[in-house]
Structure formats: C-alpha cells, structure tokens
Amino acid sequence: MTFFRILNAVFAASALSLSAHAAGGAKHAHAPEDGWSFASPVGKLEIDSVQRGFQVYREVCASCHGMKLLSYRNLGEPGGPFYDAMYPNANDNPLVKQFAAEDEILDPVPNDVGDYDYRPARPSDRFRSPYANDQAARAANNGALPPDLSVITKARGHGNDGDGASYVYSLLTGYLDPEDIETRTGEDGLPVNVITFDDDYFHGELVQPLGQYYNPYMPGDVSAQWSGDPRHVPYGGFLAMPSQLTDGRVDYMDGTEATIDQMAYDVAQFLQWAGEPKQSQRKSLGLPTMLYLIFLAGLLWFSYQRIWRNVGH
Ligand code: HEC
C-alpha cells in the first residue's frame, strides 16, 4: 500500500500546482484540509463519505436541485456508494429499492386521456425532480434556477483533480456566520442586510440585495453594493441560494458527527462520484495497464538488443 500512497502523493502534488490560478473575482476554491483521496490518477473515492453525501443530498439539496442524469440503480452499481456484490443486478439491491420507493414520481397512467399520477419510484427511474419544470423552479426561488447537480463538479471544475468538488465544498462552507450579517431598516422602511468588513485590506460595508446572499467563492462582482475603497472590493459575489448547512442538519446513519464541514465534504464527494460514476473502475484499470505497458516496453528493448546484436551499424 505504501507504494500507492507515494504515487498518490506525487500525483496530488502535481495536480495542485496545475490548479493554482485565480478564477474571476472569486476567492480561489480550496480543497478540504487533508485534500481529496480521489484527486490523483490512482486515488479513489471514499465510499462511506459518498454514502453520507447521498444522505445530505437527499435530505438537504434535493428539495431544490434535481440530478436528472442519475437513476436510483446507479447507486448500487459497481463503483456506486451502495454496491453490494450479493446483488450484481442493482435493481435487486434492497437499499436501492428502498431509496427509490421512498420517492414519489409523476408518471403517465395507462389510460387513453393522457393522465399523470404519482407512484413510488423504481430502481430504473431517474432521480425525482423537485419541480415540474424550470419555470416552477424559478418561481419557487425568487427567479433563480437551482442548477441540476448531476455534473456540477465537472461544470465548475477543470478536470479530475477535484477542483469542482473543492468549489462545491468551499461554496457551502464559505457563507458568513449569520451573526456577521446585520439587518437594518432602510430609508424606505424595508429591511436591508449589511455586512461590515474591517480588516486592513477590505474596509467598508457591503449591502446584500434582497433575496441574494454573499459568498466569497461565488464568481461575481459586488462593487455596486460596496461602500468601501473601490480598489479593494471584497472577493466573490451574490447568489440566490442561502446558506444550507448548519451543524447537525442531518442525522448521519453511520453515526458520524454532522458538522458543516463534514456535510460539505461528504456532499461534494457524492457529487464528484455522480459526475463520473465509473471513475473508480476506470482508475483501477489504469494502474495495471501502465505496469503492463512498462513491462512490455522493457521486453521490447531487450528483444531489440538481442535481435540486432550481431549487426554492424
Ligand atoms: C432552497 C433551495 C435550495 C436548496 C435546499 C439548495 N440549493 Fe443550491 N441553489 C439554489 C438556487 C436558487 C441556486 C441558484 C443561485 C443563483 O444562481 O443565484 C443554487 C445554486 C447552487 C450551486 C451553483 C452555484 C454556482 O456556481 O452557480 C451549487 C453548487 C449548489 N446550489 C449546491 C447545493 C447543494 C450541494 C445543496 C445541498 C447541500 C443545495 N445547493 C441546496 C437553491 C437551493
């Protein structure tokens, strides 16, 4: 295993140096303290974290965000968080069946007037969508559309080095403490939310537009709402998603303590898996292939030496 560890460290270090660049006006997303186990060509996802992340998705995010590229049975396929060798066909996996059956989805009823009705989902169904369509989703979210999360780590990342997961992790943990946001009454009598910055570099007040929330990792530009030095505008932007995580927001099935950091870490890792469900198998195939090719190269070199041994240049 030590060999893999060393290889892992080498690859992780090279991935880190490649991703060291700034994105827009946002603070650069950072990985969790100990990095991501999967962020190297030989690294793997932590399956128990992916399992917990699924729980966070279901209990916190799924009320606003769909994942329409995923079917319930993907959860029980090889590389999936609930894969069980006892059930090679994920449709038979009792956990997968249970997760599906807990969701009600809208489906056409077999009659000749084209009715739709709710029924419990089956493993072969796509994940339940929280809204009937994008208009309904916007209407429920102040005009903003919660993006589908199926491939969000790919959409917000650059490769498989984990920066998409780091973005999700940083965004979820990056919201300010509610205590740092002060609600005042504006001139028109409406409440305004004000954030005061008073460090050496950022000094001034930032007014949060109604229904918008400040996050230093959200790409954007807050200069129009900033009263301080225009050359030192805080990083980040506003988004229509309020902070989602509070300590103990979920009750983890495996007993892990549900801190904000832990939930963000787990859900980011779950979304990393969802973006590429076959990643683990692809990687476990990669290393033997490389070793085989190295062996083959050696063999070819020696045969070359032998075949041309007595031939003058
Ligand atoms: C109450 C509804 C709601 C819940 C619950 C919610 N979100 Fe969101 N989320 C939104 C909305 C609305 C947006 C779009 C914000 C915008 O574009 O201004 C959004 C945007 C995002 C984005 C994209 C930000 C970007 O770069 O554009 C990510 C990532 C995200 N949410 C992740 C999550 C995760 C993970 C959870 C669960 C822990 C979650 N959200 C829970 C409503 C929600």
Coordinates of all heavy atoms in Angstrom, one line a residue, residues 170-260:
S170 N -16.1 24.6 -0.9 CA -15.8 26.0 -0.5 C -17.1 26.8 -0.5 O -17.3 27.6 0.5 CB -14.8 26.6 -1.4 OG -13.6 25.9 -1.5
L171 N -17.9 26.7 -1.5 CA -19.1 27.5 -1.6 C -20.0 27.2 -0.3 O -20.5 28.1 0.3 CB -19.9 27.1 -2.9 CG -21.1 28.0 -3.2 CD1 -20.7 29.4 -3.7 CD2 -22.0 27.3 -4.2
L172 N -20.2 25.9 0.0 CA -21.1 25.5 1.0 C -20.6 26.0 2.4 O -21.4 26.3 3.3 CB -21.4 24.0 1.0 CG -22.2 23.5 -0.1 CD1 -22.3 22.0 -0.1 CD2 -23.6 24.1 -0.2
T173 N -19.3 26.0 2.6 CA -18.7 26.3 3.9 C -18.3 27.8 3.9 O -17.9 28.3 4.9 CB -17.4 25.5 4.2 OG1 -16.5 25.6 3.1 CG2 -17.7 24.1 4.4
G174 N -18.5 28.5 2.7 CA -18.0 29.9 2.6 C -18.9 31.0 3.1 O -18.5 32.1 3.2
Y175 N -20.2 30.6 3.3 CA -21.1 31.7 3.7 C -20.7 32.3 5.1 O -20.0 31.6 5.9 CB -22.5 31.0 3.9 CG -23.2 30.7 2.6 CD1 -23.2 29.5 2.1 CD2 -24.0 31.7 2.0 CE1 -23.8 29.2 0.9 CE2 -24.6 31.4 0.8 CZ -24.6 30.1 0.3 OH -25.2 29.8 -0.9
L176 N -21.1 33.5 5.3 CA -20.7 34.2 6.5 C -21.6 33.6 7.6 O -22.7 33.1 7.4 CB -20.9 35.7 6.4 CG -20.1 36.4 5.3 CD1 -20.3 37.9 5.5 CD2 -18.7 36.0 5.4
D177 N -21.0 33.8 8.8 CA -21.8 33.4 10.0 C -23.0 34.4 10.1 O -22.8 35.6 9.9 CB -20.8 33.7 11.2 CG -21.3 33.0 12.5 OD1 -22.6 33.1 12.7 OD2 -20.5 32.5 13.2
P178 N -24.2 33.9 10.3 CA -25.4 34.8 10.4 C -25.2 36.0 11.3 O -25.7 37.1 11.1 CB -26.5 33.9 10.9 CG -26.1 32.5 10.6 CD -24.6 32.5 10.6
E179 N -24.3 35.8 12.3 CA -24.0 36.9 13.3 C -23.3 38.0 12.6 O -23.3 39.2 13.1 CB -23.2 36.4 14.5 CG -24.1 35.6 15.4 CD -23.2 34.9 16.5 OE1 -22.1 35.3 16.7 OE2 -23.8 34.1 17.2
D180 N -22.6 37.8 11.5 CA -21.9 38.8 10.9 C -22.7 39.6 9.9 O -22.2 40.5 9.2 CB -20.7 38.2 10.1 CG -19.7 37.6 11.1 OD1 -19.6 38.1 12.3 OD2 -19.0 36.7 10.7
I181 N -24.0 39.3 9.8 CA -24.9 40.0 8.9 C -25.9 40.8 9.7 O -26.6 40.2 10.5 CB -25.6 39.0 7.9 CG1 -24.6 38.2 7.2 CG2 -26.5 39.8 6.9 CD1 -25.1 37.0 6.4
E182 N -25.9 42.1 9.5 CA -26.7 42.9 10.4 C -27.9 43.4 9.6 O -27.8 43.9 8.5 CB -25.8 44.1 10.8 CG -26.5 45.0 11.8 CD -25.7 46.3 11.9 OE1 -24.5 46.3 11.5 OE2 -26.3 47.3 12.4
T183 N -29.1 43.2 10.2 CA -30.3 43.7 9.5 C -30.7 45.1 10.0 O -30.9 45.2 11.2 CB -31.5 42.7 9.7 OG1 -31.0 41.4 9.3 CG2 -32.7 43.1 8.9
R184 N -30.7 46.0 9.1 CA -31.1 47.4 9.4 C -32.4 47.8 8.7 O -32.8 47.1 7.7 CB -30.0 48.4 9.0 CG -28.7 48.2 9.7 CD -27.7 49.3 9.3 NE -26.4 48.9 9.6 CZ -25.3 49.3 9.0 NH1 -25.4 50.1 8.0 NH2 -24.1 48.9 9.4
T185 N -33.0 48.9 9.1 CA -34.1 49.3 8.3 C -33.7 50.4 7.4 O -33.1 51.4 7.8 CB -35.2 49.9 9.3 OG1 -35.4 48.9 10.4 CG2 -36.5 50.1 8.6
G186 N -34.0 50.2 6.1 CA -33.6 51.2 5.1 C -34.4 52.4 5.1 O -35.4 52.5 5.8
E187 N -34.1 53.4 4.2 CA -34.9 54.6 4.1 C -36.3 54.4 3.7 O -37.2 55.1 4.1 CB -34.2 55.5 3.0 CG -32.9 56.2 3.5 CD -32.1 56.7 2.4 OE1 -32.7 56.9 1.3 OE2 -30.9 57.0 2.6
D188 N -36.6 53.3 2.9 CA -37.9 53.0 2.5 C -38.7 52.2 3.5 O -39.7 51.7 3.3 CB -37.9 52.4 1.1 CG -36.9 51.2 1.1 OD1 -36.4 50.9 2.1 OD2 -36.7 50.7 0.0
G189 N -38.1 52.0 4.7 CA -38.7 51.2 5.7 C -38.5 49.7 5.6 O -38.9 48.9 6.4
L190 N -37.9 49.3 4.5 CA -37.7 47.8 4.3 C -36.4 47.4 4.9 O -35.4 48.2 5.1 CB -37.6 47.5 2.8 CG -38.9 47.7 2.0 CD1 -38.7 47.5 0.5 CD2 -40.0 46.7 2.5
P191 N -36.3 46.1 5.3 CA -35.0 45.7 5.9 C -33.9 45.6 4.9 O -34.1 45.2 3.8 CB -35.4 44.3 6.5 CG -36.6 43.9 5.8 CD -37.3 45.1 5.3
V192 N -32.7 45.9 5.3 CA -31.5 45.7 4.4 C -30.5 44.9 5.2 O -30.3 45.2 6.4 CB -30.9 47.0 3.9 CG1 -31.5 47.6 2.7 CG2 -30.8 48.1 5.0
N193 N -29.8 44.0 4.6 CA -28.8 43.2 5.3 C -27.4 43.7 4.9 O -27.1 43.9 3.7 CB -28.9 41.7 4.8 CG -30.2 41.1 5.4 OD1 -30.6 41.4 6.5 ND2 -30.9 40.3 4.6
V194 N -26.7 44.1 6.0 CA -25.4 44.7 5.7 C -24.3 43.9 6.4 O -24.4 43.4 7.5 CB -25.4 46.1 6.4 CG1 -24.1 46.8 6.1 CG2 -26.6 47.0 5.9
I195 N -23.2 43.8 5.6 CA -22.0 43.0 6.1 C -20.9 44.0 6.3 O -20.6 44.8 5.3 CB -21.6 41.9 5.1 CG1 -22.8 41.0 4.9 CG2 -20.4 41.2 5.6 CD1 -22.6 40.1 3.6
T196 N -20.3 44.1 7.4 CA -19.2 45.0 7.7 C -17.9 44.3 7.6 O -17.7 43.3 8.2 CB -19.4 45.7 9.1 OG1 -20.7 46.2 9.1 CG2 -18.3 46.8 9.3
F197 N -17.0 44.9 6.7 CA -15.6 44.3 6.6 C -14.7 45.3 7.3 O -14.7 46.5 7.0 CB -15.2 44.2 5.2 CG -15.9 43.1 4.4 CD1 -17.2 43.3 4.0 CD2 -15.2 42.0 4.0 CE1 -17.8 42.3 3.2 CE2 -15.8 41.0 3.3 CZ -17.1 41.1 2.9
D198 N -13.9 44.8 8.2 CA -13.0 45.8 8.8 C -11.6 45.2 9.0 O -11.0 45.4 10.1 CB -13.5 46.4 10.1 CG -13.8 45.4 11.2 OD1 -13.6 44.2 10.9 OD2 -14.2 45.8 12.3
D199 N -11.1 44.6 8.0 CA -9.7 44.2 8.1 C -8.8 45.2 7.4 O -9.3 46.2 6.9 CB -9.4 42.7 7.7 CG -9.8 42.4 6.3 OD1 -9.6 43.3 5.4 OD2 -10.5 41.4 6.1
D200 N -7.5 45.0 7.4 CA -6.6 46.0 6.8 C -6.9 46.3 5.3 O -6.8 47.4 4.9 CB -5.1 45.6 6.9 CG -4.7 45.6 8.4 OD1 -5.5 46.2 9.2 OD2 -3.7 45.0 8.7
Y201 N -7.2 45.3 4.6 CA -7.3 45.4 3.2 C -8.8 45.7 2.8 O -9.0 46.6 2.0 CB -6.9 44.1 2.5 CG -6.6 44.3 1.0 CD1 -5.5 44.9 0.6 CD2 -7.5 43.8 0.1 CE1 -5.2 45.1 -0.8 CE2 -7.3 43.9 -1.3 CZ -6.2 44.6 -1.7 OH -5.9 44.7 -3.0
F202 N -9.7 45.0 3.3 CA -11.1 45.2 3.0 C -11.8 46.0 4.1 O -11.9 45.5 5.2 CB -11.9 43.9 2.8 CG -11.3 43.1 1.7 CD1 -10.8 41.8 1.9 CD2 -11.3 43.6 0.4 CE1 -10.3 41.1 0.9 CE2 -10.8 42.8 -0.7 CZ -10.3 41.5 -0.4
H203 N -12.2 47.2 3.8 CA -12.7 48.1 4.9 C -13.9 48.8 4.3 O -13.8 49.7 3.5 CB -11.6 49.1 5.3 CG -11.8 49.6 6.6 ND1 -11.4 49.0 7.8 CD2 -12.5 50.7 7.1 CE1 -11.7 49.7 8.8 NE2 -12.4 50.7 8.4
G204 N -15.1 48.4 4.8 CA -16.3 49.1 4.3 C -17.5 48.2 4.6 O -17.4 47.2 5.3
E205 N -18.6 48.6 3.9 CA -19.9 47.9 4.1 C -20.4 47.4 2.8 O -20.3 48.0 1.7 CB -20.9 48.8 4.7 CG -20.7 49.1 6.2 CD -21.8 49.9 6.8 OE1 -22.6 50.5 6.1 OE2 -21.8 50.0 8.1
L206 N -20.9 46.2 2.9 CA -21.5 45.5 1.7 C -23.0 45.3 2.0 O -23.3 44.7 3.0 CB -20.8 44.2 1.5 CG -21.1 43.4 0.2 CD1 -20.6 44.2 -1.0 CD2 -20.4 42.1 0.3
V207 N -23.8 45.8 1.0 CA -25.3 45.6 1.2 C -25.7 44.4 0.4 O -25.5 44.4 -0.8 CB -26.0 46.9 0.8 CG1 -27.5 46.7 0.9 CG2 -25.6 48.1 1.7
Q208 N -26.4 43.5 1.0 CA -26.9 42.3 0.3 C -28.2 42.7 -0.4 O -29.1 43.0 0.3 CB -27.1 41.2 1.3 CG -26.0 40.2 1.4 CD -26.4 38.9 2.2 OE1 -25.6 38.0 2.2 NE2 -27.5 38.9 2.9
P209 N -28.3 42.5 -1.7 CA -29.6 42.8 -2.3 C -30.6 41.8 -1.8 O -30.3 40.7 -1.3 CB -29.3 42.5 -3.8 CG -27.9 42.5 -4.0 CD -27.3 42.1 -2.7
L210 N -31.9 42.2 -1.8 CA -32.9 41.3 -1.3 C -33.0 39.9 -2.0 O -32.9 39.9 -3.2 CB -34.3 42.0 -1.5 CG -35.3 41.8 -0.4 CD1 -34.8 42.5 0.9 CD2 -36.7 42.3 -0.8
G211 N -33.0 38.9 -1.2 CA -33.1 37.6 -1.8 C -31.8 37.1 -2.4 O -31.7 36.1 -3.0
Q212 N -30.7 37.8 -2.1 CA -29.4 37.4 -2.5 C -28.5 37.3 -1.3 O -28.6 38.0 -0.3 CB -28.8 38.5 -3.5 CG -29.6 38.7 -4.7 CD -29.3 37.7 -5.8 OE1 -28.1 37.4 -6.1 NE2 -30.3 37.0 -6.3
Y213 N -27.5 36.4 -1.5 CA -26.6 36.1 -0.3 C -25.2 36.2 -0.8 O -24.8 35.7 -1.8 CB -27.0 34.7 0.2 CG -28.4 34.6 0.5 CD1 -29.4 34.2 -0.4 CD2 -28.9 34.9 1.8 CE1 -30.7 34.2 -0.2 CE2 -30.3 34.9 2.1 CZ -31.2 34.6 1.1 OH -32.5 34.6 1.4
Y214 N -24.4 36.8 0.1 CA -23.0 37.0 -0.3 C -22.2 35.7 0.0 O -22.4 35.0 1.0 CB -22.4 38.1 0.6 CG -20.9 38.2 0.4 CD1 -20.3 38.6 -0.8 CD2 -20.1 37.9 1.5 CE1 -18.9 38.7 -0.9 CE2 -18.7 37.9 1.4 CZ -18.1 38.4 0.2 OH -16.8 38.4 0.0
N215 N -21.3 35.4 -1.0 CA -20.4 34.2 -0.8 C -19.1 34.6 -1.5 O -19.1 34.8 -2.7 CB -21.0 33.0 -1.3 CG -20.3 31.7 -0.9 OD1 -19.1 31.6 -1.2 ND2 -21.0 30.8 -0.3
P216 N -18.0 34.5 -0.7 CA -16.7 34.9 -1.3 C -16.2 34.0 -2.5 O -15.4 34.3 -3.3 CB -15.7 34.8 -0.2 CG -16.4 34.0 0.9 CD -17.9 34.2 0.7
Y217 N -16.8 32.7 -2.5 CA -16.4 31.8 -3.6 C -17.3 31.9 -4.8 O -17.0 31.2 -5.8 CB -16.4 30.4 -3.0 CG -15.4 30.3 -1.9 CD1 -15.7 30.4 -0.6 CD2 -14.0 30.1 -2.2 CE1 -14.8 30.3 0.4 CE2 -13.1 30.0 -1.2 CZ -13.5 30.1 0.1 OH -12.5 30.1 1.1
M218 N -18.4 32.6 -4.7 CA -19.3 32.7 -5.9 C -18.7 33.7 -6.9 O -18.4 34.8 -6.5 CB -20.6 33.2 -5.4 CG -21.6 33.3 -6.5 SD -22.2 31.7 -7.1 CE -23.1 32.2 -8.5
P219 N -18.4 33.3 -8.1 CA -17.9 34.2 -9.1 C -18.9 35.4 -9.3 O -20.1 35.1 -9.4 CB -17.8 33.4 -10.4 CG -17.8 32.0 -10.0 CD -18.6 31.9 -8.7
G220 N -18.4 36.6 -9.3 CA -19.3 37.7 -9.4 C -18.6 39.0 -9.1 O -17.4 39.1 -9.1
D221 N -19.4 40.1 -9.0 CA -18.8 41.4 -8.7 C -19.7 42.1 -7.8 O -20.9 42.3 -8.1 CB -18.7 42.1 -10.1 CG -18.2 43.5 -9.9 OD1 -17.8 43.9 -8.8 OD2 -18.1 44.2 -11.0
V222 N -19.2 42.5 -6.6 CA -20.1 43.1 -5.6 C -19.8 44.6 -5.5 O -20.3 45.2 -4.6 CB -19.9 42.4 -4.2 CG1 -20.3 41.0 -4.3 CG2 -18.5 42.6 -3.7
S223 N -19.1 45.2 -6.5 CA -18.6 46.6 -6.3 C -19.8 47.5 -6.2 O -19.7 48.6 -5.5 CB -17.7 47.0 -7.4 OG -18.2 46.6 -8.7
A224 N -20.9 47.3 -6.9 CA -22.1 48.2 -6.8 C -22.7 48.3 -5.5 O -23.4 49.2 -5.1 CB -23.1 47.8 -7.9
Q225 N -22.5 47.2 -4.6 CA -23.1 47.2 -3.3 C -22.0 47.5 -2.2 O -22.3 47.4 -1.0 CB -23.7 45.8 -3.0 CG -25.0 45.6 -3.5 CD -25.0 45.3 -5.0 OE1 -24.0 44.8 -5.6 NE2 -26.1 45.6 -5.7
W226 N -20.9 48.0 -2.7 CA -19.7 48.2 -1.7 C -19.5 49.6 -1.5 O -19.4 50.4 -2.4 CB -18.5 47.5 -2.4 CG -17.2 47.7 -1.7 CD1 -16.1 48.3 -2.2 CD2 -16.8 47.2 -0.4 NE1 -15.1 48.3 -1.3 CE2 -15.5 47.6 -0.2 CE3 -17.5 46.5 0.6 CZ2 -14.8 47.3 1.0 CZ3 -16.8 46.2 1.8 CH2 -15.5 46.5 2.0
S227 N -19.4 50.0 -0.2 CA -19.2 51.4 0.2 C -17.8 51.7 0.5 O -17.4 52.9 0.7 CB -20.1 51.7 1.4 OG -19.6 51.1 2.5
G228 N -16.9 50.7 0.5 CA -15.5 51.0 0.9 C -14.7 51.4 -0.3 O -15.2 51.8 -1.3
D229 N -13.4 51.3 -0.1 CA -12.4 51.7 -1.2 C -12.7 50.9 -2.5 O -12.7 49.6 -2.4 CB -11.0 51.4 -0.7 CG -9.9 51.8 -1.6 OD1 -10.2 52.0 -2.8 OD2 -8.8 52.0 -1.2
P230 N -13.0 51.5 -3.6 CA -13.3 50.8 -4.8 C -12.2 50.0 -5.4 O -12.4 49.1 -6.2 CB -13.7 51.9 -5.8 CG -13.3 53.2 -5.2 CD -13.1 53.0 -3.7
R231 N -10.9 50.2 -4.9 CA -9.8 49.4 -5.3 C -9.7 48.2 -4.5 O -8.9 47.2 -4.9 CB -8.5 50.2 -5.2 CG -8.4 51.3 -6.3 CD -7.3 52.3 -5.9 NE -7.5 52.8 -4.6 CZ -6.7 53.6 -3.9 NH1 -5.5 53.9 -4.4 NH2 -7.0 54.0 -2.7
H232 N -10.4 48.1 -3.4 CA -10.3 46.9 -2.5 C -11.7 46.4 -2.3 O -12.2 46.4 -1.2 CB -9.7 47.3 -1.2 CG -8.2 47.7 -1.3 ND1 -7.4 47.8 -0.2 CD2 -7.4 47.9 -2.3 CE1 -6.2 48.2 -0.6 NE2 -6.2 48.2 -1.9
V233 N -12.3 45.9 -3.4 CA -13.6 45.3 -3.3 C -13.5 43.9 -2.9 O -12.7 43.1 -3.4 CB -14.3 45.4 -4.7 CG1 -15.7 44.9 -4.6 CG2 -14.3 46.8 -5.2
P234 N -14.3 43.4 -1.9 CA -14.2 42.0 -1.4 C -14.4 41.0 -2.6 O -15.1 41.3 -3.6 CB -15.4 41.9 -0.5 CG -15.7 43.3 0.0 CD -15.4 44.2 -1.2
Y235 N -13.8 39.9 -2.5 CA -13.9 38.8 -3.4 C -15.3 38.3 -3.4 O -16.0 38.4 -2.4 CB -13.1 37.6 -2.9 CG -11.6 37.8 -2.9 CD1 -10.9 37.7 -1.7 CD2 -10.9 38.0 -4.1 CE1 -9.5 37.9 -1.7 CE2 -9.5 38.1 -4.1 CZ -8.8 38.1 -2.9 OH -7.5 38.2 -2.9
G236 N -15.7 37.7 -4.5 CA -16.9 36.9 -4.5 C -18.1 37.6 -5.1 O -18.0 38.6 -5.9
G237 N -19.3 37.0 -4.9 CA -20.5 37.5 -5.5 C -21.7 37.2 -4.7 O -21.6 36.7 -3.5
F238 N -22.9 37.5 -5.2 CA -24.1 37.2 -4.5 C -24.8 36.0 -5.3 O -24.7 35.9 -6.5 CB -25.1 38.4 -4.6 CG -24.5 39.6 -3.9 CD1 -24.1 40.7 -4.6 CD2 -24.5 39.6 -2.5 CE1 -23.6 41.8 -3.9 CE2 -24.0 40.7 -1.8 CZ -23.6 41.8 -2.5
L239 N -25.5 35.2 -4.6 CA -26.3 34.1 -5.3 C -27.6 34.0 -4.5 O -27.8 34.4 -3.4 CB -25.5 32.8 -5.4 CG -25.4 31.9 -4.2 CD1 -24.9 30.5 -4.7 CD2 -24.4 32.4 -3.2
A240 N -28.5 33.4 -5.2 CA -29.9 33.3 -4.7 C -30.1 32.1 -3.7 O -31.2 31.9 -3.2 CB -30.9 33.2 -5.9
M241 N -29.0 31.4 -3.5 CA -29.1 30.2 -2.6 C -28.6 30.7 -1.2 O -27.4 31.0 -1.1 CB -28.3 29.0 -3.1 CG -28.2 27.9 -2.0 SD -27.5 26.4 -2.7 CE -25.8 26.7 -2.7
P242 N -29.5 30.7 -0.2 CA -29.0 31.0 1.1 C -28.1 29.9 1.7 O -28.1 28.8 1.1 CB -30.3 31.1 2.0 CG -31.4 30.5 1.2 CD -30.9 30.3 -0.2
S243 N -27.4 30.1 2.7 CA -26.6 29.1 3.4 C -27.5 27.9 3.7 O -28.6 28.0 4.2 CB -25.9 29.7 4.6 OG -25.3 28.6 5.4
Q244 N -27.0 26.7 3.4 CA -27.8 25.5 3.6 C -27.5 24.6 4.8 O -28.3 23.9 5.3 CB -27.7 24.6 2.3 CG -28.3 25.2 1.1 CD -29.8 25.5 1.3 OE1 -30.5 24.8 1.9 NE2 -30.2 26.7 0.8
L245 N -26.2 24.8 5.2 CA -25.8 23.8 6.2 C -25.6 24.5 7.6 O -25.1 25.5 7.7 CB -24.4 23.2 5.8 CG -24.5 22.5 4.5 CD1 -23.1 22.0 4.1 CD2 -25.4 21.3 4.5
T246 N -26.2 23.8 8.6 CA -26.0 24.2 10.0 C -25.6 22.9 10.7 O -26.0 21.8 10.3 CB -27.2 24.7 10.6 OG1 -28.3 23.9 10.3 CG2 -27.6 26.1 10.1
D247 N -24.8 23.0 11.8 CA -24.3 21.8 12.5 C -25.5 21.0 12.9 O -26.5 21.5 13.3 CB -23.5 22.2 13.7 CG -22.1 22.8 13.3 OD1 -21.6 22.3 12.3 OD2 -21.6 23.6 14.1
G248 N -25.4 19.7 12.6 CA -26.5 18.7 12.9 C -27.7 18.8 12.0 O -28.7 18.2 12.3
R249 N -27.5 19.4 10.8 CA -28.6 19.5 9.9 C -29.1 18.1 9.5 O -30.3 17.9 9.2 CB -28.1 20.3 8.7 CG -29.1 20.4 7.5 CD -30.2 21.5 7.9 NE -31.0 21.7 6.7 CZ -32.0 20.9 6.3 NH1 -32.2 19.8 6.9 NH2 -32.7 21.2 5.2
V250 N -28.2 17.1 9.3 CA -28.7 15.7 9.1 C -28.2 14.9 10.3 O -27.4 15.2 11.0 CB -28.1 15.1 7.8 CG1 -28.5 16.0 6.6 CG2 -26.6 14.9 7.9
D251 N -28.9 13.7 10.4 CA -28.6 12.8 11.4 C -27.9 11.6 10.7 O -28.7 10.7 10.2 CB -29.9 12.4 12.1 CG -29.6 11.8 13.5 OD1 -28.5 11.6 13.8 OD2 -30.6 11.5 14.1
Y252 N -26.6 11.6 10.6 CA -25.9 10.5 9.8 C -26.3 9.1 10.2 O -26.2 8.8 11.4 CB -24.4 10.7 9.8 CG -23.9 11.8 8.8 CD1 -23.0 12.7 9.2 CD2 -24.3 11.7 7.5 CE1 -22.5 13.7 8.3 CE2 -23.8 12.7 6.6 CZ -22.9 13.6 7.0 OH -22.4 14.5 6.1
M253 N -26.6 8.3 9.2 CA -26.9 6.9 9.5 C -25.8 6.2 10.2 O -25.9 5.2 11.0 CB -27.3 6.2 8.2 CG -28.6 6.7 7.7 SD -29.2 5.7 6.2 CE -28.0 6.3 4.9
D254 N -24.5 6.5 9.8 CA -23.4 5.8 10.3 C -22.8 6.4 11.6 O -21.7 6.1 12.1 CB -22.3 5.7 9.3 CG -21.6 7.0 8.9 OD1 -22.0 8.1 9.4 OD2 -20.8 7.0 8.0
G255 N -23.5 7.4 12.1 CA -23.2 8.0 13.4 C -22.1 9.1 13.4 O -21.7 9.7 14.4
T256 N -21.6 9.4 12.2 CA -20.6 10.5 12.0 C -21.2 11.8 12.5 O -22.4 12.0 12.3 CB -20.1 10.6 10.6 OG1 -19.6 9.3 10.1 CG2 -19.1 11.7 10.4
E257 N -20.4 12.6 13.1 CA -20.9 13.9 13.6 C -21.1 14.8 12.4 O -20.2 15.1 11.6 CB -19.9 14.5 14.6 CG -20.5 15.7 15.4 CD -19.4 16.4 16.2 OE1 -18.4 15.8 16.5 OE2 -19.7 17.6 16.5
A258 N -22.3 15.4 12.3 CA -22.7 16.2 11.1 C -22.3 17.6 11.3 O -23.2 18.5 11.6 CB -24.2 16.0 10.8
T259 N -21.0 17.9 11.3 CA -20.6 19.4 11.3 C -20.8 19.9 9.9 O -21.0 19.2 8.9 CB -19.1 19.5 11.7 OG1 -18.4 18.8 10.7 CG2 -18.8 18.9 13.0
I260 N -20.8 21.3 9.8 CA -21.0 21.9 8.5 C -19.9 21.4 7.6 O -20.1 21.0 6.4 CB -20.9 23.4 8.6 CG1 -22.1 24.0 9.4 CG2 -20.8 24.1 7.3 CD1 -22.1 25.4 9.7

